[in-house]
Amino acid sequence: MRKEGMTLIEILVALGIASLILGVLLSTVLGNRRIYNLDQSRTAVNQNLRTALDIVVADLRQAGERLPNNLSAVEIRADGNELVLRRNLLDTVLSVCDRNGISGNQDNIPVADKNPPKNAQTAYLEACGFSDRNNNGYDDRIDQWRAYRCGSDGAPDCQTGSLRETVRAYIYDPATGNGEWFDYDQEDASGVKIHKGNNGRWQNSYGQNSRLYLLEERRYYLEGTLLKLAENGQSGRGLVADVVRFQAQARAGGNWYTAFPAPGLTWTNLEAVEVRVRARIGRIEREMVTQTVPRNVLSQ
């Protein structure tokens, strides 16, 4: 018996049907892949937005701890594109106790006075009067700063000159509004001075009423599409990628400000801070907005 093969027409029909089936399958696979990619982009955008807002809002709520109203816990700069948040890490605040202030390359900062002038005002004596209850030769306030500095590496022992026990401190003159960061690395043997470890001169001059803080400062700003965080006056590091907008504004007295504190206002006048973040990955672009208020405003 002779076996007959497929005719040309039958082969063409079979190929056509197979092509249709493959086309449908390919279209389905590509469609599913596009949906998968879109879902991945949506998830990544949402995660970026939530991450950015969660971090900023957590810092906003803590801003202002142990801070007076003349050193702003919240600053908004660059038309709302930069947000600075501060809180004080130690209750003890030091004062510049030199009637001539400090400037230039003066590295030893007098923060107590063993021999105050006879006509010294009460405010000066409270800020600078020497007190040594444990008789170790150092002012009690310096003892507290020293304990914080020496414990910054997780060990109670103090090693003078150890980079692990150098901490960032902030000097601020409320009369001029000038302030800057410096490295606090040791105490002077006189018992009334702390030492600025940075090589170089002060950027400004600081009068007798200037104050010294052990702060935590966190500055958020957008560089390209990277939301960055700069801590304690140092260089910024990448925090969240694919961010195309970062905007902050503060409400005080019923008005919104993209430059804060505005004239006549302090951070204790805050009613709310709004943060807006927009992220984009591929064709997916989304924005989230939140409002909060530093809880320490309520305690002022």
Side-chain angles (χ1 to χ4, degrees), residues 10 31 35 49 87 99 163 182 190 218 228 240 245 277 286:
E10 289 173 332
I35 293 172
L49 292 173
R87 65 188 183 110
R99 282 167 288 180
L163 292 178
F182 67 94
S190 66
R218 295 167 74 85
K228 285 193 164 185
V240 180
R245 184 185 184 190
V277 182
R286 289 187 176 178

Side-chain angles (χ1 to χ4, degrees), residues 1 4 17 28 34 48 61 71 77 113 120 146 150 155 157 160-161 169 179 190 200 215 224 227 243 249 261 271 298:
M1 181 176 181
E4 295 184 0
I17 293 172
T28 301
R34 281 195 295 269
N48 284 1
R61 289 174 177 162
L71 175 54
R77 308 169 181 166
D113 191 345
R146 184 175 185 270
C150 294
D157 296 335
T160 300
S190 66
L215 292 180
L227 181 62
V243 177
Q249 58 178 345
E271 297 166 357
L298 304 176

Side-chain angles (χ1 to χ4, degrees), residues 3 16 56 63 112 114 129-130 143 155 158 175 178 183 212 223 229 239 268 275 277-278 280 287 297:
K3 294 183 179 180
V56 174
K114 289 182 177 179
F130 185 78
D143 280 338
C158 201
N178 291 329
D183 288 338
L212 295 98
E223 188 173 284
L229 169 61
L239 189 65
T268 58
V275 179
V277 182
R278 182 182 298 164
R280 181 173 61 229
E287 183 173 279
V297 168

Side-chain angles (χ1 to χ4, degrees), residues 243-269:
V243 177
V244 295
R245 184 185 184 190
F246 176 77
Q247 180 81 28
Q249 58 178 345
R251 189 179 70 205
N255 298 314
W256 287 100
Y257 299 90
T258 54
F260 187 84
L265 297 174
T266 71
W267 71 272
T268 58
N269 299 121

